[in-house]
Amino acid sequence: MKLTTNDIAYFKRFSVIIVTGGSSGIGCSIIKAAQNIGPKLWVCNLSRSKPDVFLGENGIHIGVDLSDPAALQSAANTLLSRLQEAPPGEILLVNNSGFGDYARLPHADASKQLKMIDLNIRAAVDLTTRLLPACLTRGGTVVNIASTAAFQPTPFLATYGATKAFVRNWSLALHEDLRGTGVRALAVCPGPTRTNFFKAAGFTKPPIGESGPGALDMTADEVARRTLRAVAREKTIIVTGWKNRLITSFGGTLPLTWVTRMGAVILRKLRLEQHR
Ligand SMILES: NC(=O)c1ccc[n+]([C@@H]2O[C@H](COP(=O)([O-])OP(=O)(O)OC[C@H]3O[C@@H](n4cnc5c(N)ncnc54)[C@H](OP(=O)(O)O)[C@@H]3O)[C@@H](O)[C@H]2O)c1
């Protein structure tokens, strides 16, 4: 999927891109794709490790564990003071940092589940709230990376799916709250994407097949392109790819208890395959 000249022209309004979790996967691809469109963008990445990509002459990396509220507060303060140096223009904020944990409750590691809530939910709300005054002054777009897991309960990934349902609903409501202010919100719901996500979530074998016409999964670069295209087209929510859209809309026509049961059967089968 390519960006049109109109899509690219839209990006002239942004002078700043702030990404959480740009050290790998989707976040890293979003930084690269945005720099491709706007080589002069002032880039700020927040994650524990530094991205391999060049963040630009004035780009900054703030090393931070965003699941730690005190560390997030300090990182946001640093960012807000450095933001004064950024050229005038709108802000593109991408709340992307997140992880899952493939485990059956009640055997899941409780501290990991709580850290997931702190990162996937708390950090996105906290960082956005701290940056909103600057976004309201300059104008901007807040992109929240949710997931197709946001559309139904996800047994074996129970907490993860619920965090993404929060992100999806919160992003849509945020957009309405911000209507008329010059700041928009976009919820991005990727399906399976080839990143470190599955390893970090505890899958020994990523549950995604080979790339090709029948494949459900996407590359992080493709998700990034679709995200930037949706920003340029002022969408409020996207599900990446027609197969993911078909699955999420079909699921939405069935009773939630059925969809949950079907999810449990599929994810339990995956779990058995993981341990074979
Ligand atoms: N891959 C998929 O199939 C898929 C599908 C739907 C949605 N998503 C969502 O996409 C987003 C990006 O994931 P990904 O697929 O690109 O996986 P990834 O390659 O594992 O990237 C995760 C990013 O989150 C950052 N992160 C993790 N823990 C953090 C912490 N405590 N503090 C700050 N940053 C932290 C990581 O940076 P550091 O480790 O350097 O901190 C990394 O840059 C996540 O929100 C994920 O839920 C992924």
Side-chain angles (χ1 to χ4, degrees):
M1 176 148 311
K2 285 202 172 136
L3 277 88
T4 63
T5 43
N6 280 349
D7 296 333
I8 292 167
Y10 185 91
F11 273 83
K12 288 205 175 90
R13 69 187 58 213
F14 296 111
S15 65
V16 172
I17 178 168
I18 299 163
V19 178
T20 68
S23 59
S24 66
I26 295 170
C28 185
S29 292
I30 288 177
I31 292 179
K32 285 189 290 182
Q35 284 179 318
N36 216 9
I37 299 174
K40 291 194 179 143
L41 273 175
W42 187 87
V43 182
C44 174
N45 171 66
L46 299 108
S47 57
R48 291 167 303 178
S49 46
K50 197 170 179 199
D52 277 340
V53 287
F54 177 54
L55 298 177
E57 289 297 322
N58 302 311
I60 55 170
H61 162 69
I62 302 177
V64 55
D65 179 346
L66 289 169
S67 67
D68 174 346
L72 185 149
Q73 182 180 356
S74 155
N77 289 342
T78 306
L79 168 55
L80 285 169
S81 68
R82 295 291 298 272
L83 200 54
Q84 320 280 346
E85 300 159 16
E90 295 193 11
I91 297 176
L92 180 60
L93 166 64
V94 185
N95 289 307
N96 163 74
S97 277
F99 73 92
D101 184 26
Y102 186 50
R104 188 177 192 178
L105 298 171
H107 307 295
D109 175 348
S111 64
K112 198 171 175 189
Q113 303 281 310
L114 294 174
K115 194 176 160 86
M116 193 196 307
I117 295 170
D118 285 338
L119 182 65
N120 298 11
I121 296 179
R122 194 188 192 287
V125 176
D126 195 354
L127 188 67
T128 305
T129 308
R130 290 175 190 282
L131 296 184
L132 261 183
C135 293
L136 289 166
T137 305
R138 287 167 165 262
T141 301
V142 181
V143 176
N144 298 297
I145 307 294
S147 167
T148 49
F151 289 82
Q152 68 288 305
T154 53
F156 295 95
L157 285 161
T159 307
Y160 176 71
T163 65
K164 293 299 175 179
F166 177 99
V167 172
R168 182 187 76 139
N169 288 350
W170 179 74
S171 184
L172 285 165
L174 177 70
H175 179 76
E176 287 305 322
D177 283 1
L178 293 173
R179 196 175 277 278
T181 64
V183 183
R184 309 179 52 81
L186 161 69
V188 176
C189 304
T193 309
R194 291 171 173 268
T195 66
N196 295 335
F197 173 84
F198 292 103
K199 196 166 170 233
F203 286 83
T204 44
K205 277 188 288 180
I208 49 183
E210 294 303 311
S211 313
L216 196 64
D217 58 295
M218 262 182 202
T219 62
D221 286 350
E222 185 59 27
V223 172
R225 273 193 296 274
R226 286 171 191 259
T227 299
L228 297 189
R229 190 168 172 265
V231 168
R233 295 180 186 198
E234 299 193 336
K235 305 269 185 202
T236 50
I237 182 164
I238 56 158
V239 174
T240 58
W242 68 267
K243 287 178 208 159
N244 289 321
R245 281 197 291 280
L246 194 68
I247 292 168
T248 49
S249 37
F250 175 66
T253 63
L254 300 175
L256 209 49
T257 45
W258 292 14
V259 184
T260 310
R261 184 77 197 109
M262 280 157 62
V265 171
I266 294 164
L267 282 147
R268 174 176 300 153
K269 184 169 174 286
L270 263 178
R271 187 171 177 79
L272 294 175
E273 282 169 4
Q274 295 285 314
H275 293 102
R276 222 176 253 160

